[in-house]
């Protein structure tokens, strides 16, 4: 009984320690894992559980690892000390950690003196060591010599560093990873890897050394067992790099990646031309290597000689080929060279960056050519083919036929055809097709029969906005019975095409179009789970659409993306805003959208939802107040009208008769002292006196103008003068410029109001508007737009001056 109590006490104490500890403990299949990430620790905690198998203490502020820190942790297999401030490792720091297999010391401040000889003497089972992103100027070969089971070493490439003889003890080393973001290495020599000749190194990653321009020819000789080589993003030059491969002639390799290896600006013309061509001479070693993956991506290559790679054994071995992001020129027949590669299953020719204007000139030369047919022969085992933006189809073709497509499942053929594609054949086995960026304005339902088994189809930016008749057709996508993913973004669509196979669609992308609502009824798409409506013109959704989306969310977990739409969050759409915040159809992380209130203020839907009660009360209060005021106004107006009519029945009878046009005499220009009142602001005086006045007063049939600066006598009140001038003039002409609309003296506003008040049923169309400068009709005050018809609004710059005054006289209905 006492023994049981002691056990329970020990367990309880351990549980209390675990719960109070700064680190997190997790029991996993391979043992106890301890996570102390990002706890601002300055040293490794001393109260860690002795049975832990994994310790992650990265992202802290530890500066040193003291002697025998891990001695008691006999089960420890993994230590992560990345992203600390380590500068010192005491000689016995890892004493007793015989079980450790993975040690990561990356992104610290370790230097040559930090790693003393004997530091790793007990790590006899270590398999992986990461020393990258430190300040180790020389490779510590004697420090690493005891790691006889080391399989993978991650270390920085540093200038002048050489792998010393101690590395020859690492007989199990297979992977040397020198792939870092910031590499200061400028050259590698024949002695750089000499100390690794005793290893069985199979993988060498030496990437992102942009300053690396010098490389001796025998640099790879000490690594005869290499199978995986990545030598990318440097300035050596593809011609030079290919010459390094002679140690592997007649060997089998899994990968050779020579991407973005080109000389920097300023090299000699001859060397530059060599690096722009893949020739039989430059591939004399590569062509004799049986390599599975080969990549020349991003090397500014303009020409690949037909006989450079079309040889044995490389022709029978390559399974993955990548020559994308180069400058290869030629027509679509260029792909025929790949047809002889028997095992090729992945081919990437995409994004050939030609000189500015070159592609346009080729398309221009193709204009007017007779259309024809073309057949593209693909490798018989090809599964993935990316020909995006190769610009090889500048000729106009009626029909494109692909051969050897029995195994092809992905075809990316976007941004190639400036002219409308008519027919495509041979793609019945393809499940993923991307035709984005090609012109499909005249496409018909027969076009899609070629890839009738497609599951994923991208028609982004295909000019479908010009294919309204096609989109209305009920059979446009009728042949695509298995389609699950459809991308119609960037087409300026306002009309959604009819889709027969609605039961299959899972993911629908309609972003960056012109839809003002959800253009489909989602209940007709029972498997739809993702709908992308980003960057459209949706202001709000009606109640029916919202209910439809909610039902689909409950039925099949539908999610809709709404980012990029500017919603309305006024009084009429508050229920829509609350729906956005609560509906299961909206992504949880995307619920705060931009919206515009009734007063034009831009805010977010989350802010509106938080302030919903106040906004709702304000909206309902305005409505009730408006209704109340309107009812009171109607009541008092009706009462007053009835009273006045009862007191003056004869007068009101005459008014009604006049309104109906009986015995009414309309006024003419002869009934007024002035023909036209000219309203203007001070900034437009020059136009009035230099152009308008001479054209109307000093002409064959002059009219009498009222100009306030001339007619209103000094000492006379200007306001009274304006009102008298308008009342004494038959019609009023307002010169509306931007200065007139923004007149800070308020005389323009006063003139406008006085002109509106002078409106009289006996003088039809009494106000005429001359719009000057950049002013448009929509810029006019609402009070003017309500009383002036558009035919009496003249844009000054739309007419020559002589025609302007003639037109003004015409719409003013002057007698002469």
């Amino acid at each position: 009984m006492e023994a049981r109590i002691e056990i329970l006490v020990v367990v309880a104490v351990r549980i209390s320690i675990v719960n109070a500890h700064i680190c997190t403990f997790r029991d996993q299949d391979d043992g106890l894992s301890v996570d102390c990430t990002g706890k601002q620790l300055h040293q490794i905690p001393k109260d860690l559980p002795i049975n832990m198998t994994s310790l992650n203490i990265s992202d802290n502020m530890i500066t040193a690892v003291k002697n025998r820190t891990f001695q008691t942790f006999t089960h420890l297999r993994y230590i992560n000390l990345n992203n600390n401030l380590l500068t010192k490792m005491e000689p016995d720091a890892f004493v007793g950690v015989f079980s450790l297999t993975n040690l990561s010391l990356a992104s610290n401040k370790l230097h040559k003196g930090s790693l003393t000889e004997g530091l790793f003497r007990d790590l006899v089972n270590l398999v992986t060591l990461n020393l990258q992103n430190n300040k180790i100027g020389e490779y510590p070969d004697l420090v690493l010599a005891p790691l006889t089971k080391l399989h993978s070493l991650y270390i920085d490439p540093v200038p002048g560093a050489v792998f010393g003889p101690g590395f020859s003890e690492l007989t199990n080393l297979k992977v040397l990873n020198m792939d870092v973001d910031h590499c200061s290495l400028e050259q590698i020599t024949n002695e750089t890897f000499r100390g690794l000749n005793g290893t069985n190194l199979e993988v060498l990653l030496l990437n992102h050394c942009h300053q690396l321009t010098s490389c001796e020819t025998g640099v790879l000789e000490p690594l005869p067992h290499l199978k995986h080589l990545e030598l990318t993003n440097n300035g050596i030059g593809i011609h030079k790099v290919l010459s390094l491969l002679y140690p592997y002639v007649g060997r089998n390799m899994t990968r050779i990646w020579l991407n973005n290896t080109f000389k920097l600006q300023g090299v000699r013309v001859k060397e530059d031309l060599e690096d722009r061509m893949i020739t039989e001479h430059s591939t004399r070693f590569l062509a004799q290597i049986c390599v599975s993956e080969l990549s020349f991506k991003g090397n500014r290559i303009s020409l690949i000689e037909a006989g450079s790679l079309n040889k044995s054994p490389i022709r029978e071995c390559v399974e993955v080929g990548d020559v994308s992001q180069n400058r290869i020129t030629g027509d679509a027949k260029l792909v025929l060279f790949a047809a002889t590669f028997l095992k090729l299953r992945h081919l990437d020719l995409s994004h050939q960056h030609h000189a500015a204007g070159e592609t346009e000139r080729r398309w221009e030369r193709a204009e007017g050519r007779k259309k024809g047919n073309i057949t593209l022969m693909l490798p018989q085992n090809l599964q993935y083919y990316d020909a995006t933006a190769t610009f090889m189809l500048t000729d106009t073709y009626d029909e494109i036929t692909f051969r050897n497509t029995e195994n092809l499942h992905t075809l990316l053929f976007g941004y190639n055809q400036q002219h409308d594609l008519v027919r495509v054949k041979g793609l019945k086995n393809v499940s993923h097709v991307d035709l984005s960026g090609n012109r499909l304005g005249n496409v018909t339902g027969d076009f899609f029969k070629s890839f009738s088994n497609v599951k994923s189809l991208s028609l982004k930016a295909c000019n479908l906005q010009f294919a309204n008749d096609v989109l209305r057709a009920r059979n446009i996508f009728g042949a695509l019975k298995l389609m699950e993913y459809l991308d119609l973004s960037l087409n300026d669509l306002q009309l959604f095409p009819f889709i027969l196979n609605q039961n299959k669609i899972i993911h629908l992308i309609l972003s960056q179009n012109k839809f003002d609502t959800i253009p489909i009824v989602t209940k007709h798409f029972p498997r739809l789970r993702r709908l992308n409506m980003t960057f459209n013109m949706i202001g709000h959704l009606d109640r029916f659409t919202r209910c439809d989306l909610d039902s689909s969310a409950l039925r099949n977990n539908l999610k809709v993306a709404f980012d990029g739409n500017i919603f309305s969050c006024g009084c009429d759409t508050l229920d829509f805003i609350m729906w956005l915040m609560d509906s299961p159809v909206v992504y949880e992380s995307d619920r705060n959208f931009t919206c515009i209130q009734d007063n034009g203020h831009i805010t977010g839907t989350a802010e509106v939802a938080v302030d919903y009660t106040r906004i709702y009360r304000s909206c309902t209060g305005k409505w009730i107040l408006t209704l109340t005021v309107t009812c009171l106004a109607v009541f008092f107006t009706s009462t007053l009208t009835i009273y006045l009519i009862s007191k003056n029945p004869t007068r009101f009878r005459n008014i009604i008769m006049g309104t109906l046009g009986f015995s009414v005499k309309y006024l003419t220009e002869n009934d007024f002292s002035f023909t036209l009142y000219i309203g203007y602001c001070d900034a437009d005086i020059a136009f009035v006196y230099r152009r308008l006045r001479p054209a109307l007063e000093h002409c064959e049939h002059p009219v009498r103008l009222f100009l306030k600066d001339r007619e209103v006598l000094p000492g006379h009140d200007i306001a009274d003068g304006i009102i008298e001038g308008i009342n004494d003039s038959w019609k009023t002409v307002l010169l509306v410029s931007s200065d007139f609309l923004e007149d800070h003296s308020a005389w323009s506003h006063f003139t406008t109001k006085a002109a509106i008040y002078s409106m009289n049923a006996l003088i039809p169309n009494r106000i005429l508007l001359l719009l000057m400068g950049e002013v448009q009709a929509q810029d006019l005050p609402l009070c003017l737009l309500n009383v002036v018809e558009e035919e009496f609004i003249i844009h000054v710059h739309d007419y020559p001056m002589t025609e302007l005054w003639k037109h003004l006289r015409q719409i003013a209905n002057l007698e002469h």
Side-chain angles (χ1 to χ4, degrees):
M1 185 67 180
E2 292 180 358
R4 291 182 180 178
I5 293 175
E6 290 179 359
I7 293 173
L8 291 175
V9 169
V10 171
V11 172
V13 169
R14 179 180 175 185
I15 292 175
S16 64
I17 292 174
V18 169
N19 291 335
H21 205 282
I22 191 172
C23 302
T24 303
F25 300 164
R26 294 186 183 90
D27 284 320
Q28 298 180 342
D29 294 339
D30 57 350
L32 180 63
S33 174
V34 177
D35 187 354
C36 304
T37 306
K39 302 298 183 181
Q40 301 296 311
L41 298 175
H42 290 270
Q43 60 182 4
I44 299 173
K46 297 180 179 179
D47 55 348
L48 296 172
I50 60 174
N51 63 333
M52 67 175 176
T53 58
S54 173
L55 174 61
N56 187 346
I57 198 166
S58 60
D59 299 296
N60 283 287
M61 304 175 70
I62 301 172
T63 58
V65 179
K66 297 181 179 180
N67 288 331
R68 304 183 184 279
T69 298
F70 305 105
Q71 185 175 14
T72 57
F73 306 111
T74 56
H75 301 284
L76 192 58
R77 295 193 295 272
Y78 173 87
I79 298 176
N80 186 346
L81 278 162
N82 293 347
N83 295 297
N84 277 279
L85 304 175
L86 288 176
T87 58
K88 182 179 181 181
M89 307 288 291
E90 294 189 0
D92 293 333
F94 296 103
V95 166
V97 198
F98 299 101
S99 58
L100 196 66
T101 60
N102 192 314
L103 175 61
S104 188
L105 301 172
S107 300
N108 282 283
K109 297 183 179 181
L110 297 174
H111 49 84
K112 178 183 178 182
S114 302
L115 306 178
T116 58
E117 189 174 345
L119 177 65
F120 299 138
R121 63 183 181 276
D122 284 355
L123 304 185
V124 292
N125 290 303
L126 194 69
V127 174
T128 302
L129 175 62
N130 191 340
L131 295 173
Q132 286 184 336
N133 293 313
N134 279 284
K135 297 182 179 181
I136 304 174
E138 297 181 13
Y139 294 141
D141 58 319
L142 298 180
V143 178
L144 302 180
L147 305 178
T148 55
K149 290 188 178 181
L150 191 66
H151 176 277
S152 302
L153 175 61
Y154 297 76
I155 198 165
D156 297 336
V158 293
V162 174
F163 290 89
F167 283 96
S168 61
E169 302 296 327
L170 308 181
T171 54
N172 287 296
L173 186 65
K174 301 290 186 181
V175 178
L176 178 59
N177 189 319
M178 305 174 74
D179 190 351
V180 295
D181 293 334
H182 304 288
C183 169
S184 57
L185 188 64
E186 297 180 358
Q187 67 173 352
I188 48 178
T189 68
N190 293 341
E191 299 300 320
T192 300
F193 301 114
R194 186 67 63 188
L196 297 172
N197 59 358
T199 69
N200 291 312
L201 194 70
E202 296 181 355
V203 178
L204 173 61
L205 310 182
L206 181 56
N207 301 323
H208 307 295
C209 293
H210 301 285
Q211 301 178 47
L212 177 58
T213 58
S214 176
C215 180
E216 295 186 359
T217 305
V219 69
L220 297 179
E221 268 192 8
L223 309 175
H225 305 288
L226 205 63
K227 294 182 178 180
H228 180 141
L229 173 63
E230 292 185 24
L231 193 57
T232 71
N233 296 289
N234 58 64
I236 300 174
I238 188 65
H239 187 76
K240 178 66 174 180
V241 170
L242 288 172
S243 69
L244 307 179
L245 300 177
Y246 68 86
Y248 310 111
V249 169
R251 298 284 307 277
N252 294 336
M253 297 187 70
T254 56
R255 174 181 294 180
I256 298 178
W257 280 8
L258 307 177
N259 303 335
N260 295 293
T261 173
F262 51 82
K263 298 183 185 301
L264 302 177
Q265 298 295 329
V267 300
R268 290 175 299 186
V269 175
K270 180 181 179 181
E271 293 176 340
D272 184 60
L273 289 176
E274 286 179 346
D275 272 347
R276 292 179 183 272
M277 296 185 292
I278 300 296
T279 64
E280 288 192 64
H281 177 73
S282 64
T283 59
R284 62 192 183 280
F285 303 128
L286 175 63
Q288 301 179 65
I289 302 173
C290 183
V291 58
S292 299
E293 296 184 23
L294 178 63
S295 178
F296 292 142
K297 179 179 179 180
N299 277 303
R300 303 181 181 180
I301 298 170
S302 299
L303 175 66
I304 300 179
E305 287 186 357
S308 59
L309 295 173
N310 190 11
K311 298 178 179 179
S312 296
I314 191 172
R315 182 177 57 194
E316 288 82 19
C317 296
V318 173
E319 299 180 20
V320 176
D322 188 348
V323 291
S324 62
Q325 299 182 27
N326 282 290
R327 301 176 180 179
I328 301 173
T329 58
D331 59 17
K333 299 175 183 177
L334 201 96
V335 75
L336 294 177
F337 86 95
T340 59
F341 287 75
L342 304 179
K343 290 186 177 181
L344 191 64
R345 52 182 174 79
H346 180 114
L347 177 60
D348 191 344
L349 300 175
S350 64
H351 299 97
Q352 300 301 324
H353 304 291
H354 298 146
E358 178 183 342
T359 303
E360 288 74 9
R361 289 193 295 271
R362 293 170 66 196
W363 271 325
E364 289 174 1
R365 291 195 297 269
E367 289 287 350
R369 292 183 185 175
K370 183 178 179 181
K371 296 184 178 181
N373 302 333
I374 185 173
T375 299
L376 299 181
M377 190 71 66
L378 302 180
Q380 62 184 12
N381 290 306
L382 195 65
Q383 300 175 11
Y384 177 98
Y385 179 34
D386 188 352
T388 303
T390 56
F391 304 110
M392 294 180 182
L393 291 181
T394 51
D395 288 329
T396 303
Y397 295 107
D398 282 327
E399 183 175 289
I400 301 174
T401 302
F402 292 90
R403 299 294 186 188
N404 291 339
T405 60
E406 292 79 7
N407 299 305
L408 189 66
H409 61 71
T410 298
L411 174 66
L412 309 182
F413 209 67
Y415 301 94
N416 277 308
Q417 187 82 353
Q418 186 192 34
H419 311 282
D420 289 323
L421 287 172
V422 179
R423 291 185 301 274
V424 179
K425 291 185 177 181
L427 302 176
K428 291 185 178 180
N429 298 311
V430 182
S431 59
H432 179 192
V433 174
D434 187 346
L435 297 175
S436 299
N438 295 304
R439 290 182 56 177
L440 302 179
N442 295 325
V443 69
T444 65
D446 292 338
F447 176 81
F448 297 106
K449 290 182 179 179
S450 176
F451 34 91
S452 55
N453 291 314
V454 70
K455 293 184 178 180
S456 174
L457 175 63
S458 181
L459 301 177
K460 183 190 306 181
C462 285
N463 290 322
L464 294 179
Q465 70 272 28
F466 302 117
N468 288 331
D469 293 338
V470 174
L471 296 180
R472 291 189 182 95
R474 296 178 63 86
N475 62 345
I476 177 64
F477 293 125
L480 308 182
K481 305 295 184 182
L482 304 177
M483 185 170 58
E484 298 177 348
Y485 173 101
L486 177 62
D487 186 352
L488 296 176
S489 57
L490 283 167
N491 278 295
D492 289 334
L493 292 176
Q494 295 175 295
L495 176 69
F496 184 74
F498 187 88
I499 297 179
L500 289 176
N501 55 326
Q502 298 172 346
N503 292 332
K504 291 289 186 178
I505 296 293
I506 297 176
H507 194 160
L508 183 60
I509 301 178
L510 301 176
S511 65
Q512 301 184 71
N513 283 292
K514 294 183 178 179
F515 294 113
D516 58 5
T517 187
I518 303 295
I520 63 172
V521 179
T522 58
K523 72 176 182 179
H524 297 154
F525 293 76
R527 297 185 63 197
L528 186 63
R529 294 183 181 178
R530 297 292 180 269
L531 176 60
N532 189 334
M533 296 300 303
T534 56
F535 297 96
N536 274 278
M537 303 175 67
I538 301 175
H540 75 284
L541 300 177
D542 58 39
R543 189 179 300 275
F544 172 81
T545 303
R546 300 198 301 263
C547 291
D548 174 56
L549 293 175
D550 285 341
S551 298
S552 296
L554 295 175
R555 182 175 58 252
N556 54 356
N557 196 29
L558 172 66
K559 295 293 182 183
V560 182
F562 284 112
D563 286 339
N565 292 281
I566 300 179
F567 297 120
S568 168
C569 49
C571 294
D572 296 334
T573 58
L574 281 180
D575 56 338
F576 167 67
I577 300 300
M578 298 309 296
W579 174 85
L580 279 176
M581 307 308 297
D582 298 331
S583 173
V585 79
V586 183
Y587 286 99
E588 290 294 334
S589 59
D590 297 333
R591 292 190 184 269
N592 190 20
F593 305 100
T594 301
C595 68
I596 301 179
Q597 295 178 317
D598 288 340
N599 59 4
H601 178 67
I602 298 179
T603 183
T605 54
E607 288 82 355
V608 173
V610 171
D611 210 18
Y612 171 78
T613 303
R614 184 192 63 79
I615 297 175
Y616 177 77
R617 287 176 179 174
S618 175
C619 292
T620 55
K622 291 178 182 178
W623 181 81
I624 294 173
L625 178 61
T626 302
L627 179 62
T628 303
V629 171
T630 302
C631 292
L632 288 174
V634 170
F635 173 75
F636 286 117
T637 302
S638 301
T639 303
L640 181 61
T641 301
I642 293 171
Y643 174 77
L644 293 175
I645 292 176
S646 65
K647 294 295 183 181
N648 303 280
T650 303
R651 179 182 297 177
F652 279 98
R653 182 178 63 81
N654 292 336
I655 293 174
I656 293 174
M657 293 297 291
T659 303
L660 297 177
F662 297 104
S663 301
V664 176
K665 180 183 178 182
Y666 289 97
L667 300 176
T668 67
E669 58 182 298
N670 297 324
D671 297 318
F672 296 87
S673 302
F674 299 91
T675 306
L676 300 176
Y677 176 91
I678 308 300
Y680 55 91
C681 67
D682 292 342
D684 299 323
I685 288 178
F687 179 83
V688 172
Y689 282 93
R690 293 178 183 176
R691 297 192 178 185
L692 184 146
R693 177 174 170 269
L696 296 179
E697 282 191 346
H698 301 162
C699 60
E700 184 178 355
H701 301 289
V703 297
R704 184 80 168 99
L705 303 179
F706 187 99
L707 307 174
K708 67 179 177 65
D709 298 297
R710 184 182 67 183
E711 315 301 340
V712 180
L713 298 177
H716 191 74
D717 186 73
I718 297 178
D720 291 341
I722 291 174
I723 294 174
E724 290 173 6
I726 291 175
N727 290 332
D728 289 344
S729 300
W730 184 45
K731 292 192 177 183
T732 299
V733 177
L734 298 181
L735 301 183
V736 184
S737 64
S738 58
D739 294 306
F740 184 90
L741 295 174
E742 301 172 0
D743 189 3
H744 298 294
S745 67
W747 287 118
S748 298
H749 180 72
F750 179 83
T751 303
T752 301
K753 292 296 184 182
I756 293 173
Y757 293 148
S758 71
M759 296 290 287
N760 193 314
L762 299 180
I763 310 175
N765 305 310
R766 194 172 189 184
I767 300 178
L768 309 176
L769 302 179
L770 293 183
L771 305 187
M772 302 177 63
E774 301 296 328
V775 178
Q776 301 295 321
Q778 58 265 30
D779 300 327
L780 295 172
L782 188 60
C783 58
L784 279 177
L785 291 175
N786 289 336
V787 299
V788 181
E789 298 181 8
E790 287 195 19
E791 62 181 297
F792 299 101
I793 302 175
I794 304 174
H795 293 262
V796 171
H797 294 305
D798 290 348
Y799 301 88
M801 279 302 163
T802 55
E803 294 296 326
L804 173 66
W805 310 125
K806 181 178 178 181
H807 185 62
L808 178 61
R809 285 173 173 270
Q810 181 180 353
I811 66 170
N813 198 23
L814 299 180
E815 293 180 356
H816 301 292

